[in-house]
Every structure is written in structure tokens, then in C-alpha cells.
Amino acid sequence: KMFDRVSSVLAVKKAFSVEDLMRVIWPYSGPEHLRLMRGWGEDMHGAGSRWRVPTPQVLPEEELEALTAVFSFHDKDHSGTVTAEELIHAGLLDREAALRFIAEAEGVTDGQLDLHAFGD
């Protein structure tokens, strides 16, 4: 049913608007809902930089090579990840700090840091 609706919209339209996209995503939304959702989008767009997160700086090539070397040194089992145990055994962090460091790392759910998480 949804496929038929999308096909019918795409077949008769030469342009595809934001409202059309909202109708596809929320097929039972009425005109008042579409106006409300469009208003949210305009508010966010009008807020500009308030909602935008600054682009992170790119790590210079030399620093990336140094970080990779440090990561490889601590990755004793050559698994491509570093665990809290490896950081503790290297004397880099005590148990509490290592566990906290890994728990606070962005995107880490299995207790293992890859190079990207290690660099963050």
C-alpha cells in the first residue's frame, strides 16, 4: 500500500517537495500536521549555527602516524582494538581510570577501543 502511494506521487509530480516527503513518511498526516512539521524544519533552519555542531579539526598526518604507533604499541594481541586490561598492563592507566576511559568513549559498546575511539 505504501509503495503504491509513493509510486503515485512520483509518477505525477515533476518536482518532489518537503511536504511530499512528509506525506510518504507519515501517510496519515493531515494538512495541519504537515504545516506543523514544516514549521519545525523552518525553525531549525532559521536557528542556523545554534543547532550546528562545529566540524572537528583534521589531525595532521604526522600526528595521525604517531597516534597509530601508540595505538599499535598498546594493542598487544594485534586484534585492532585496545581493552582496559591492555591499558592497565601497559601502566598507562590504573583500573578505575581505564574502565572509566573506555566507558566514556564515544561509540564503544563492547569495552574495546578501535583506533578511531582511541584517538577521540
Side-chain angles (χ1 to χ4, degrees):
K1 197 172 188 180
M2 181 118 154
F3 178 75
D4 293 336
R5 183 179 174 109
V6 172
S7 297
S8 68
V9 169
L10 293 175
V12 297
K13 291 217 162 235
K14 296 201 187 278
F16 199 70
S17 69
V18 172
E19 286 84 3
D20 294 328
L21 179 63
M22 287 188 239
R23 282 189 190 102
V24 169
I25 296 171
W26 297 284
Y28 296 106
S29 60
E32 67 281 354
H33 297 118
L34 295 174
R35 280 192 295 278
L36 177 64
M37 288 184 275
R38 183 170 181 104
W40 292 339
E42 289 171 355
D43 288 347
M44 289 187 75
H45 179 71
S49 63
R50 190 178 89 203
W51 292 96
R52 183 174 167 83
V53 174
T55 304
Q57 292 183 343
V58 176
L59 198 60
E61 187 68 30
E62 304 83 34
E63 289 183 35
L64 178 59
E65 288 173 6
L67 177 66
T68 303
V70 170
F71 177 82
S72 297
F73 177 78
H74 292 296
D75 181 18
K76 297 297 184 191
D77 61 357
H78 306 288
S79 63
T81 61
V82 173
T83 63
E85 292 303 317
E86 288 172 317
L87 297 174
I88 295 165
H89 289 303
L92 193 60
L93 298 170
D94 64 24
R95 178 171 281 302
E96 183 181 326
L99 293 173
R100 186 175 55 249
F101 177 68
I102 290 189
E104 292 173 357
E106 187 175 319
V108 175
T109 57
D110 59 358
Q112 299 182 1
L113 299 172
D114 61 9
L115 178 61
H116 177 74
F118 185 80
D120 282 346

